Amino acid sequence: APKLDIQKIRKDFPILEQKVNGKPLIYFDNAATTQKPKQVIDAISEYYEGYNANIHRGLHSLAEKATTAFEDSRKVFQNFINAAEVEEVIFTKGTTDGINLIANAYGRKFLQEGDEILITAMEHHSNIVPWQMIAEEKGAVLKVVPVNAKGEISLDDVENIITDKTKIVSVVYASNSLGTVNPVKEIAKLAHAKNAVMVVDGAQASSHCVVDVQELDCDFYATSGHKMYGPTGCGILYGKRAILEEMTPYQGGGEMINNVSFEKTTYNDIPYKFEAGTPNIADVVALKHAAEYIDSIGKANIMAHEQALTQHAHDRLSEVPGINFYGTADNKVSVVSFTIDNVHPYDAGMMLDAKGIAVRTGHHCTQPLMDHFGIEGTIRASFSVYNTIEEIDFFADSLKDIVAKFS
Ligand code: PMP
């Protein structure tokens, strides 16, 4: 892969220029949300300054321009995840919203008492709680594939736990707490062998992994715009056409209908039947620019840079006395999760912040995973395209200073 000009890329992200607590900002909380390039920020103001209008219904020029931009974004995302058809791309508020849609529009219709939903022990709360809720409502059972000491799941375990009663398998593509990349394609095969649908939580994957929903052969793929350089409050849910068509929408309102009368309402076609109400037009339009931004740099180039950062972080952080890493060292996205003996993650986080370094500390919305490791939380550094080797060096040196203060 060609070497990326990171200093040039950094200029696209105005937020990175600032100082925090008198120190240059080092933003290592990308798994929580990435920063946004000018291209995305500008697209939002261009929409509001130039062609803000409600979409789909209006005949006037602004409405048409807004509709075209919105639907253009759908096409860009069809390509971005390689969906077979543009109608298979539903705009949502994000991953959480997408998974709740599946649980309510698929689960409520197709789950029966005693059916099983299979997830893993490394799921984000948003890929646990919606399933618990629908399982409780329908009398279904939630089953959990364990993780090993390295924070990985095994296909053998999946095969042993999946049964003829399993109707839904939902697995995170890349773990936000550990970075682990799961074999979702192989798990999809096991799910399909039992006639279960395969849901992929792609919140972390979209900016760090090659995403090809046809190659993965997943039935659903949910992701968030804000973790791939796009705005907050928008995301996409991919679903296979045949399955989406069989599902019953769970939110009613404008846009999702064909014809409404007090006697009987008929629903719109996919994807619109799942897009009730005025959507987040500005952010969906801007999200297209995030996908185009990734493509303009090249995902493979981004991945190579992030892998180099992650490797360097492992090497340098290994020098920190008392450090314990969580999660596999290879086959993972750019997340490094660790604890330090006798240093509470919260204290480390505060002291790093004083040096301008933003990391996440705590359970990262994966409490069951933290329980598995017998810890309350970790310190998590997660890297993106605009991070540098020098930032990681400063981070490692800062941690050494912090440890020295505590001993
Ligand atoms: N799944 C994973 C793996 C995540 O990292 C996140 C966000 N932290 C989510 C789901 C939820 O995404 P959102 O909050 O954008 O809906």
Side-chain angles (χ1 to χ4, degrees):
K3 258 216 161 323
L4 294 176
D5 185 348
I6 302 301
Q7 290 311 322
K8 180 160 168 280
I9 288 172
R10 288 179 69 85
K11 294 212 168 68
D12 291 331
F13 293 83
I15 205 169
L16 297 177
E17 283 160 26
Q18 71 188 285
K19 291 198 165 156
V20 168
N21 296 320
K23 302 280 181 342
L25 167 65
I26 295 182
Y27 188 76
F28 284 169
D29 196 15
N30 293 287
T33 197
T34 58
Q35 299 303 345
K36 325 302 174 198
K38 296 203 284 302
Q39 289 85 337
V40 168
I41 300 168
D42 289 349
I44 297 173
S45 9
E46 276 160 25
Y47 168 78
Y48 283 123
E49 288 177 8
Y51 58 100
N52 169 52
N54 211 329
I55 52 168
H56 295 142
R57 284 155 293 222
L59 277 179
H60 58 80
S61 301
L62 290 193
E64 205 151 286
K65 191 166 177 197
T67 302
T68 304
F70 187 87
E71 291 303 326
D72 242 23
S73 191
R74 206 186 299 276
K75 285 189 206 115
V76 166
F77 271 89
Q78 178 197 357
N79 287 328
F80 193 75
I81 61 170
N82 194 31
E85 300 179 55
V86 71
E87 293 84 3
E88 295 177 322
V89 176
I90 299 163
F91 287 115
T92 61
K93 288 193 288 179
T95 309
T96 306
D97 194 33
I99 295 173
N100 277 279
L101 194 159
I102 307 165
N104 285 280
Y106 184 89
R108 180 164 298 123
K109 182 161 180 185
F110 293 109
L111 285 173
Q112 295 185 337
E113 200 170 332
D115 282 347
E116 295 166 0
I117 303 165
L118 194 61
I119 61 172
T120 81
M122 72 172 88
E123 300 308 321
H124 188 278
H125 295 165
S126 68
N127 197 26
I128 302 173
V129 185
W131 302 122
Q132 285 176 321
M133 293 164 89
I134 198 70
E136 181 168 38
E137 182 183 319
K138 305 293 294 186
V141 182
L142 189 67
K143 291 173 109 183
V144 183
V145 179
V147 299
N148 66 16
K150 285 167 75 189
E152 297 163 334
I153 55 170
S154 91
L155 287 172
D156 287 345
D157 282 338
V158 176
E159 217 167 349
N160 288 336
I161 296 173
I162 201 166
T163 75
D164 291 335
K165 287 188 171 170
T166 308
K167 292 294 176 318
I168 299 169
V169 179
S170 192
V171 177
V172 69
Y173 195 167
S175 155
N176 62 306
S177 299
L178 306 174
T180 319
V181 176
N182 286 314
V184 283
K185 181 180 174 179
E186 287 69 28
I187 299 171
K189 278 193 195 130
L190 297 174
H192 291 151
K194 299 287 185 196
N195 288 320
V197 292
M198 177 72 192
V199 180
V200 174
D201 171 351
Q204 295 293 332
S206 297
S207 77
H208 304 298
C209 304
V210 175
V211 179
D212 180 334
V213 292
Q214 293 187 76
E215 162 75 12
L216 295 176
D217 197 23
C218 56
D219 300 290
F220 297 101
Y221 177 88
T223 195
S224 304
H226 71 96
K227 294 184 198 277
M228 50 167 285
Y229 312 109
T232 53
C234 66
I236 60 160
L237 173 66
Y238 158 83
K240 282 185 187 161
R241 171 184 281 277
I243 298 172
L244 292 178
E245 281 181 342
E246 279 187 58
M247 289 158 54
T248 306
Y250 85 111
Q251 288 184 334
E255 193 61 36
M256 55 76 72
I257 50 86
N258 226 341
N259 195 53
V260 177
S261 73
F262 290 120
E263 290 70 40
K264 184 172 172 58
T265 289
T266 53
Y267 301 137
N268 204 339
D269 296 330
I270 65 164
Y272 306 112
K273 76 171 180 183
F274 298 112
E275 294 181 355
T278 302
N280 187 352
I281 305 167
D283 292 320
V284 165
V285 168
L287 184 53
K288 170 179 75 177
H289 294 268
E292 288 174 347
Y293 187 79
I294 291 175
D295 286 342
S296 73
I297 299 174
K299 211 186 242 179
N301 298 331
I302 296 176
M303 287 164 71
H305 176 64
E306 290 174 344
Q307 288 300 319
L309 294 174
T310 309
Q311 187 55 52
H312 189 69
H314 265 279
D315 294 347
R316 287 298 325 273
L317 292 175
S318 299
E319 299 166 10
V320 176
I323 195 163
N324 316 291
F325 292 104
Y326 291 86
T328 165
D330 39 53
N331 194 26
K332 67 179 213 164
V333 296
S334 45
V335 170
V336 180
S337 213
F338 58 90
T339 58
I340 303 171
D341 292 344
N342 306 318
V343 182
H344 194 281
Y346 181 84
D347 292 330
M350 294 299 287
M351 292 168 88
L352 289 166
D353 182 58
K355 292 172 184 281
I357 303 172
V359 294
R360 178 58 68 93
T361 57
H363 56 63
H364 320 298
C365 296
T366 54
Q367 277 181 339
L369 181 65
M370 298 296 124
D371 290 346
H372 163 78
F373 287 121
I375 54 177
E376 261 176 59
T378 68
I379 304 162
R380 179 187 73 184
S382 51
F383 313 118
S384 230
V385 66
Y386 38 70
N387 291 126
T388 67
I389 295 286
E390 292 72 28
E391 287 179 322
I392 288 170
D393 285 335
F394 183 69
F395 176 50
D397 292 340
S398 300
L399 278 173
K400 285 188 195 168
D401 288 349
I402 290 169
V403 171
K405 285 210 178 80
F406 272 84
S407 57

